[in-house]
Amino acid sequence: MGRIWGNLQTFTGWFCAIAIAQILGTTTSAKAAETVVVRFGPFAESFAVADLQKAAETGEFPRDIALFTNKLPEEQRLSLLGALRMKIPLNVVTISRLLNTQIGTAILNDLATAVVRKDQAGVQALRAGFVLGSTSPEGLSILSFIKSYPSQRLEINLPQSFRVASNLNSGFWLTQQFMLAIAPQLNPITSQISFTFDPSAPGVNQYEVLGLQLNDQKRNRKIPVDVYWSNASTTEKPVIVFSHGFGSVRTDMRYLAQHLASHGYIVAALEHPGSNETNTNLAIKNNTKLIQPQEFLDRPKDISFVLDELEKLNQTASSPLQGKVASNNAMVIGYSFGGGTALAIAGAELELEELKQRCKKNVTGFSFGETLQCVAQELPANKYQLRDPRIKRAIALSPTSSLMFGKNGLRQVQVPTLVWAASADKTLPALPEQVIGFTKIPSPKWLVGVLGGTHLSVKDPSTTMDQAQKPNTALFGGEVVGEQAADIRKYLQAIALAFAAQMTPEAEQYEVFLTPDYAQFASTQAFPIRLVTRIPTQAMLVVRQYIKTEE
């Protein structure tokens, strides 16, 4: 899933995104046999594949194509060129396997409705284009796909392409509709509150990082952990455990761990061996499953195991952590798939009966997050309770929640919870993954919404340096990262510190930072931030309408 599904969906995203850009001829950008034809009712436009190849090589669109591309904004023209040039690192065995999966077949069936053929072989032709394209010397790309498409020309029905595109990542587009509907309620508020200090500023403590290689022999899990600590750390402050996203690493949120450690907190950033970057890369290399369904159960258990081991170190005279770890008073911070992990260990019950039904139906419109959650359909039971009572607070950053917790699983959360949502998140769209889930979580709870933020905005800049080269499609891309997202990460530092401080004698001092006033204060013109403890009435009408359409 992770990287492989991203690559497969990249291809389908390009196919449709260019249609949306009114340049579907370039969409099929590259070389079909010799010609790409775009049809709109009785009208048709043809483009030579050689011209598409030339555009990819020179960075400039030939005259015939330029008549269309010149009507587009510069950003979209550059995105099209990037799509033409990008290679998808999937070999023929992997692409063949993917196209024979449930979602791969569904995507092919949808795309085939946009391809004009006299016979009924659209799906087979598309499959051949993908598979044969992956065997070309330059690898799989839009150009190699079109060159390998088994026909003299690739003919596309433009209106149907729009319809197919509208089904891709439906949760993201519904989130955009939701944002438009509630926009009048997101106007800035006038605050009279003054803030006496900056919680996003570094603390005064010099922290160190203790690297651990833990081994859970009962589950055969080797768990690397980075423990951020300082001499100022005491049991008066909770230990904070961080759970990373799918196919990622324990340094996902390094800057946040450093910030919290500088304020005297102990932060344990662990790596989940069944869903980290190493596991994903190995699965791609060996053409094996990217994630096992058991990982949904093992991830919360990893956190419990780490807390067990930290308590042992707390009792060990030779350990620098002796007497510093409040392992029975812990807070969890989870990001993306790790956000779902955080909710599970905070008490949310996995409810899989409905998931198992949904994941057997049309999955073409699923986001990556929904597709990932469908892996849990292979678990034998329908309910799993994984709560650890040592977890007293939870922060779920852009979490997975739409399918894995069913209708009522989130109602079992037992601790104060903060949910973070970004309005432009394509990986885990805010409305189905965070907003609806938030309505089910018992109070006390907080929902942070970052308008214009994306899925990767909160990640450590060292982990997102590859994003600049990726095209912006309906399924992924357009990520706000690095220096561009500095203000977003700054607010996260502040609110995470304030949230953790509610478990300390400093609670009252930091409480003001968990208010709509401070969210407004921290907002910028580029990224307005809103914080609520309940969804406004008018917005709930939109939420209920969405839920009704999904039932």
Side-chain angles (χ1 to χ4, degrees):
M1 287 175 76
R3 186 174 303 174
I4 288 184
W5 276 123
N7 287 325
L8 178 58
Q9 291 182 319
T10 298
F11 209 104
T12 60
W14 285 338
F15 185 94
C16 295
I18 301 177
I20 294 176
Q22 300 176 358
I23 192 172
L24 229 173
T26 317
T27 306
T28 8
S29 308
K31 246 175 167 186
E34 298 160 354
T35 308
V36 174
V37 179
V38 181
R39 287 201 171 277
F40 188 92
F43 304 102
E45 289 288 345
S46 298
F47 300 92
V49 173
D51 286 345
L52 299 173
Q53 179 80 50
K54 185 176 181 180
E57 293 172 350
T58 66
E60 296 183 0
F61 291 104
R63 181 177 178 277
D64 287 347
I65 299 178
L67 293 174
F68 291 86
T69 58
N70 288 342
K71 300 175 183 178
L72 298 175
E74 178 67 15
E75 182 180 355
Q76 291 185 359
R77 287 198 297 273
L78 293 175
S79 179
L80 292 176
L81 286 171
L84 284 173
R85 292 168 168 171
M86 182 170 280
K87 303 295 187 296
I88 303 175
L90 296 180
N91 59 36
V92 62
V93 175
T94 302
I95 194 68
S96 181
R97 288 181 60 195
L98 283 173
L99 294 176
N100 282 294
T101 62
Q102 180 185 8
I103 192 169
T105 300
I107 289 173
L108 284 177
N109 284 328
D110 268 15
L111 290 179
T113 65
V115 175
V116 179
R117 293 181 64 92
K118 294 181 180 179
D119 56 27
Q120 301 298 313
V123 170
Q124 294 91 328
L126 288 171
R127 189 188 304 275
F130 280 116
V131 173
L132 294 175
S134 66
T135 66
S136 67
E138 66 270 25
L140 182 58
S141 66
I142 289 182
L143 286 168
S144 67
F145 164 77
I146 297 177
K147 293 175 186 177
S148 303
Y149 184 77
S151 176
Q152 287 299 306
R153 62 183 188 176
L154 176 59
E155 194 167 331
I156 296 169
N157 180 323
L158 186 58
Q160 180 60 17
S161 294
F162 277 102
R163 287 188 283 272
V164 173
S166 69
N167 287 329
L168 288 173
N169 204 356
S170 59
F172 172 73
W173 300 114
L174 288 167
T175 296
Q176 307 318 301
Q177 295 176 26
F178 172 75
M179 296 307 300
L180 288 173
I182 68 170
Q185 302 170 53
L186 299 177
N187 292 328
I189 60 174
T190 302
S191 174
Q192 303 299 322
I193 298 178
S194 60
F195 305 99
T196 57
F197 65 96
D198 181 4
S200 69
V204 299
N205 302 297
Q206 295 294 318
Y207 62 85
E208 297 183 47
V209 181
L210 175 64
L212 302 175
Q213 294 293 328
L214 304 181
N215 185 13
D216 186 344
Q217 295 180 349
K218 291 182 180 179
R219 296 182 301 133
N220 192 28
R221 304 267 289 187
K222 293 182 179 179
I223 304 172
V225 184
D226 290 339
V227 181
Y228 299 75
W229 68 282
S230 73
N231 287 326
S233 302
T234 72
T235 54
E236 281 195 343
K237 293 186 175 181
V239 62
I240 301 171
V241 185
F242 170 69
S243 174
H244 62 76
F246 172 77
S248 198
V249 291
R250 59 189 181 276
T251 55
D252 249 0
M253 312 288 291
R254 178 169 50 193
Y255 73 94
L256 182 58
Q258 293 169 339
H259 179 68
L260 294 168
S262 75
H263 284 272
Y265 292 86
I266 291 178
V267 182
L270 72 148
E271 207 154 298
H272 300 284
S275 51
N276 61 356
E277 183 179 63
T278 300
N279 180 80
T280 303
N281 289 342
L282 187 62
I284 293 173
K285 179 181 178 181
N286 296 333
N287 293 310
T288 57
K289 290 182 69 170
L290 291 174
I291 182 173
Q292 299 294 331
Q294 182 66 26
E295 192 67 9
F296 285 80
L297 311 182
D298 276 331
R299 278 176 144 255
K301 293 177 182 179
D302 289 343
I303 295 176
S304 294
F305 176 73
V306 168
L307 289 175
D308 292 341
E309 295 300 299
L310 288 176
E311 181 54 34
K312 292 178 184 178
L313 292 173
N314 190 52
Q315 303 294 332
T316 302
S318 60
S319 169
L321 301 179
Q322 185 193 22
K324 298 179 181 296
V325 184
S327 58
N328 287 318
N329 189 37
M331 183 174 93
V332 61
I333 300 177
Y335 164 66
S336 193
F337 191 26
T341 302
L343 292 170
I345 201 167
E349 188 170 70
L350 268 64
E351 292 187 355
L352 305 179
E353 185 174 2
E354 185 177 346
L355 175 147
K356 292 176 180 181
Q357 296 302 316
R358 285 282 304 278
C359 294
K360 291 178 182 176
K361 298 177 181 178
N362 180 21
V363 295
T364 304
F366 276 11
S367 67
F368 168 73
E370 290 168 316
T371 304
L372 175 63
Q373 291 171 79
C374 279
V375 173
Q377 68 183 306
E378 298 177 38
L379 289 169
N382 284 334
K383 289 190 177 183
Y384 295 90
Q385 177 52 251
L386 302 161
R387 183 191 173 213
D388 189 321
R390 293 173 292 185
I391 299 296
K392 301 300 195 297
R393 283 194 166 230
I395 295 179
L397 304 171
S398 301
T400 50
S401 77
S402 61
L403 299 177
M404 59 193 283
F405 298 117
K407 290 184 178 180
N408 297 304
L410 287 168
R411 302 188 195 281
Q412 306 305 314
V413 171
Q414 300 291 311
V415 301
T417 301
L418 185 147
V419 176
W420 176 286
S423 71
D425 189 333
K426 297 176 183 176
T427 305
L428 292 170
L431 178 59
E433 297 294 348
Q434 292 99 47
V435 176
I436 291 176
F438 175 79
T439 65
K440 302 175 183 179
I441 295 173
S443 295
K445 59 182 178 180
W446 296 257
L447 174 66
V448 171
V450 182
L451 308 184
T454 62
H455 190 67
L456 302 182
S457 294
V458 299
K459 287 190 70 172
D460 193 278
S462 66
T463 65
T464 58
M465 291 186 291
D466 63 335
Q467 290 301 309
Q469 306 304 319
K470 294 189 175 180
N472 187 3
T473 75
L475 292 160
F476 78 102
E479 290 286 348
V480 177
V481 296
E483 187 59 32
Q484 193 179 6
D487 290 327
I488 296 175
R489 295 192 301 276
K490 181 179 178 180
Y491 176 72
L492 177 56
Q493 288 176 311
I495 199 168
L497 178 63
F499 201 68
Q502 300 310 298
M503 303 168 69
T504 75
E506 301 173 304
E508 186 175 350
Q509 180 183 354
Y510 280 89
E511 194 172 18
V512 68
F513 300 110
L514 294 172
T515 61
D517 298 86
Y518 182 69
Q520 177 64 48
F521 176 81
S523 296
T524 65
Q525 185 173 0
F527 305 110
I529 302 171
R530 299 293 181 266
L531 180 148
V532 297
T533 55
R534 56 179 292 275
I535 303 293
T537 303
Q538 288 301 112
M540 274 304 300
L541 295 177
V542 181
V543 171
R544 292 191 184 102
Q545 183 178 11
Y546 171 81
I547 295 174
K548 186 176 181 179
T549 61
E550 290 295 294
E551 291 178 345

